[in-house]
Amino acid sequence: MTTAQEVVLGDDTNKVSASLPLTRRLRPLLGMTVVAAVALAWGMGGGADRYEIFIAIHFLSFVTAAAGLNILYGYSGLVSLGHGAFFAIGAYGMGWGLLNTGLSFPVLLVSVLLAAVAIALVLVLPTLRVSGHFLAMVTVAYASVVHVILINWDSVTGGPLGLSISPRRLETWVPAEEVLFGFAVVVAAAALLFMGVVRTSSIGRAWRSIRQSEVSAACLAVPVRRYRVLAFSVSAVLATLGGVIYGLNVGFLTPSEYDVMLSINLLIAVIVGGSGRFLGPVFGSLIVVVGPEVFRFLGDHRELMLGLVLIAVLSFRRGGIAGLLETAVRPVTSRLGARSKPGVSVAEKGDVA
């Protein structure tokens, strides 16, 4: 069978994962729950100052958006350089709604997400016939159009002067800073868990088959058009959620923050972190968001240092940081797995005692 056939029909990896004990299959969920609980205790228990919480929320917004782009690029192989547009839709949509409507926060959030899905469908339908570099160029055009709209639609976006969400309105509609951090933690964890669960599902296998070969997937009766629309819509929703979190965090929105470079940074986070991998968006967001803060002591040279880090990661490991860590821990996990099998010793596996 070809690679695409193995992915669609269920490769050996999926068969092994399906036969694993329930406790092992729940490890990602348990691990994510522990990490989220620790993060909530740190951010909401008074263990961090306001600046650290601000950076943490910024990081979590990027994790959420990068998880969506990881589904689009890492799973289905569709390159998008326009997801910064949905990031902007989330930020500006929530900001405008807080200032001009009487809707409650949950209703307004659902309305913004539904609007993002509608816009995603309008944008993706004309691009279904293109892929690869052509798709990337089309999505760049989308991001540029949204950026121009943000600059010129003064009555809604505030134009070049930006849109200010006053602290009084934030206190009225949006939870306090610590609660916003908790909301960001829950959303980012849910996005990562969804990304991990869907990978081994039939939808995830269909996406991966499309990435391997659209022709082979179509020959195996995979509705390529439908799954491409689904991948784009899901990734748009997560990018919009990330934008909502970011907009509520900064409280002041300017078009200069939502140009094409934002989309490029999101794609960099996915590729450097490890496209198609569970923790790829986390490691990539650490490099893109937290990295500049770590190298702040270098002044104007911190961008150069970040560039060297990106070059080093991509040169030595195409699988990104997550792939590098997987390679490093695989001998340890395989040895532990061999020792845990009843009736099979390490010597029988051919290892030196």
Side-chain angles (χ1 to χ4, degrees):
M1 289 190 296
T2 63
T3 305
Q5 288 174 320
E6 291 174 351
V7 171
V8 174
L9 299 179
D11 53 14
D12 293 338
T13 303
N14 292 326
K15 293 177 181 178
V16 172
S17 62
S19 63
L20 289 175
L22 181 61
T23 54
R24 290 193 62 182
R25 282 187 284 170
L26 290 178
R27 282 180 184 177
L29 175 61
L30 297 175
M32 187 61 63
T33 302
V34 172
V35 172
V38 172
L40 290 174
W42 172 77
M44 302 178 68
D49 56 34
R50 296 187 63 182
Y51 179 73
E52 291 174 342
I53 293 180
F54 177 85
I55 296 299
I57 296 175
H58 186 186
F59 162 73
L60 292 169
S61 69
F62 244 72
V63 169
T64 305
L69 189 55
N70 193 36
I71 290 176
L72 185 67
Y73 174 70
Y75 289 2
S76 57
L78 302 177
V79 182
S80 174
L81 289 173
H83 263 53
F86 295 103
F87 204 83
I89 290 171
Y92 273 89
M94 179 61 69
W96 182 88
L98 290 173
L99 295 175
N100 297 279
T101 68
L103 299 176
S104 63
F105 180 77
V107 174
L108 186 57
L109 178 62
V110 172
S111 301
V112 172
L113 296 180
L114 291 177
V117 172
I119 295 173
L121 292 176
V122 172
L123 296 181
V124 72
L125 291 178
T127 65
L128 290 177
R129 295 184 179 274
V130 298
S131 59
H133 302 297
F134 298 102
L135 178 61
M137 288 187 290
V138 171
T139 54
V140 167
Y142 291 158
S144 300
V145 169
V146 171
H147 185 237
V148 171
I149 292 174
L150 295 180
I151 294 176
N152 293 281
W153 199 359
D154 296 356
S155 60
V156 174
T157 66
L161 298 179
L163 185 67
S164 177
I165 309 174
S166 66
R168 179 175 299 177
R169 293 293 293 179
L170 280 175
E171 291 174 2
T172 303
W173 291 101
V174 182
E177 185 179 60
E178 290 79 6
V179 182
L180 177 59
F181 171 78
F183 174 72
V185 170
V186 172
V187 171
L192 291 174
L193 287 175
F194 173 80
M195 185 186 67
V197 170
V198 78
R199 185 181 187 277
T200 56
S201 66
S202 58
I203 297 176
R205 290 196 296 271
W207 281 337
R208 287 154 53 204
S209 70
I210 293 173
R211 175 172 184 169
Q212 294 293 336
S213 173
E214 290 188 11
V215 176
S216 299
C219 292
L220 292 170
V222 175
V224 176
R225 182 187 181 95
R226 184 187 308 168
Y227 279 107
R228 288 185 67 175
V229 172
L230 180 61
F232 202 90
S233 301
V234 171
S235 63
V237 167
L238 293 180
T240 304
L241 272 173
V244 168
I245 295 171
Y246 179 78
L248 296 178
N249 189 35
V250 297
F252 185 80
L253 312 177
T254 57
S256 60
E257 297 183 11
Y258 303 95
D259 55 7
V260 178
M261 195 61 203
L262 173 60
S263 302
I264 295 176
N265 284 334
L266 285 173
L267 187 60
I268 288 175
V270 172
I271 295 175
V272 174
S275 61
R277 288 172 167 81
F278 179 69
L279 292 178
V282 177
F283 293 126
S285 299
L286 281 173
I287 294 295
V288 173
V289 176
V290 183
E293 301 301 321
V294 174
F295 296 119
R296 183 175 290 276
F297 67 94
L298 296 176
D300 295 336
H301 301 290
R302 60 177 177 171
E303 300 295 337
L304 174 62
M305 180 60 67
L306 285 175
L308 293 176
V309 172
L310 299 180
I311 292 173
V313 171
L314 296 179
S315 298
F316 290 100
R317 186 67 185 179
R318 294 186 61 186
I321 300 175
L324 182 64
L325 292 179
E326 287 178 5
T327 303
V329 302
R330 185 176 294 120
V332 178
T333 56
S334 60
R335 183 180 294 271
L336 292 176
R339 288 179 176 177
S340 63
K341 291 181 179 179
V344 179
S345 65
V346 176
E348 289 174 351
K349 298 291 290 184
D351 296 335
V352 179

